[in-house]
Amino acid sequence: SCPGLDNGYLEYSEHAVYMVDFPSLFCMHVYVRPEIITSFYGNMADVGKTPVARNEKASSEFGYVGIDAILEQMRRKAMKQGFEFNIMVVGQSGLGKSTLTNTLFKSKVSRRSVMTTEEERIPKTIEIKSISHVIEEKGVRMKLTVIDTPGFGDQINNENCWQPIMKFINAQYEQYLQEEINIDRKKRISDSRVHCCIYFIPPTGHCLRPIDIEFMRHLSKVVNIVPVISKADTLTLEERDFFKQKIREDLRANEIDIYPQKEFDEDAEDRMINEKIRAMIPFAVVGSDQEYQVNGKRLLGRKTRWGTVEVENTTHCEFAYLRDLLIRTHMQNIKDITSSIYYEMYRVRRLNENNTKPNGQPAIHANGVPEHEVLSHEM
Ligand SMILES: Nc1nc2c(ncn2[C@@H]2O[C@H](COP(=O)(O)OP(=O)(O)OP(=O)(O)O)[C@@H](O)[C@H]2O)c(=O)[nH]1
Ligand SMILES: [Mg+2]
């Protein structure tokens, strides 16, 4: 029904109508909303801000719709919001947890955000303490929080020494849940949930101790566990390899599921990458917050009479692998598992408790979501 359009064709898109009449006049009439014209030849980076009018013929010729622009939109949103990541360090007293916390902040993660220069000894940790730094790199903001915990094993009876840690982890889930079920809830809930727990194994060189097995068995049910062998500078290379293998066997024998858990591998590629990590875990780490001059460079290390152990040198220890796993390669996955597995289990359990019907039957569907509940939870 377009006047004057003979032998031509009509194209329609959401934002523009094209009437094309090539054979008779060799001209093309384009009826298009004025604001579209400005973006018609626009840079693809601007896609997402203003809809781009697109000739369907050209689209089919070149096969490009612009779906990939969603990545750019997501990137912008994520950069505006920033990221939060919470790591907890747990283990027996004196294994270097507080030192490693400082190492994490002073290493390449955020060398600039820690400005302490004075050499002070790290005191014994006596309460659970969170240390946060906002790190910015290439416009991406991340609030990295390390939760330092008091070491256990000092008591005569060390039974149930995992309980205060478990209580803290659950308290963070509870806080998140309360924010989430609030009628007037915030658009974005601040996330204090423990995404990952670094468990410190003493460098005995033998096998896992019952207390380590007990601790990890309980914690692995509520949080991602990444075990490390602490003070790895005290082991020879052979001792280190033997100990690592023995720990992996002990973990398997005791059915302790550590991160990255096999059952959460999403595809073959995931499996391939994670298998390599599983073969390296537990990382044998060395911690230090002191810098030394080595070959003209200032490096984090531990100076001894026979040389300096460089913390970030992978031929000396595996701290850099640990940091890369946590920060560079698996952070999002660790957060996803926290949110979709561990927090979800906590949430279902808590809502089940609250929604138990008078006859004792929980008012929860098989999929774990209460009938009346309209909760949406972000990953
Ligand atoms: N050889 C060696 N010593 C370390 C290492 N990391 C820390 N230390 C030393 O171990 C001692 C205890 O370190 P902390 O970081 O206070 O240990 P912690 O686990 O926080 O101890 P608590 O707070 O009591 O639980 C300090 O003298 C550190 O310098 C390491 O990788 N190798
Ligand atoms: Mg400490």
Side-chain angles (χ1 to χ4, degrees), residues 82 93 167 182 252 259-260 310 326 328:
S93 185
K167 208 169 142 198
N182 213 342
R252 224 173 298 130
Y259 185 82
E310 297 164 30
L326 297 179
R328 206 173 280 180

Side-chain angles (χ1 to χ4, degrees), residues 293-307:
Q293 195 85 18
V294 181
N295 298 332
K297 281 190 206 154
R298 288 203 67 76
L299 300 169
L300 276 177
R302 301 191 73 82
K303 196 169 180 179
T304 67
R305 279 208 174 274
W306 51 89

Side-chain angles (χ1 to χ4, degrees), residues 98 123 125 148:
S98 304
T125 313
D148 196 2

Side-chain angles (χ1 to χ4, degrees), residues 81-100:
Q81 287 183 342
F83 299 87
E84 285 171 309
F85 192 52
N86 309 321
I87 301 170
M88 186 184 224
V89 289
V90 173
Q92 191 190 306
S93 185
L95 287 184
K97 298 181 294 298
S98 304
T99 308
L100 200 88

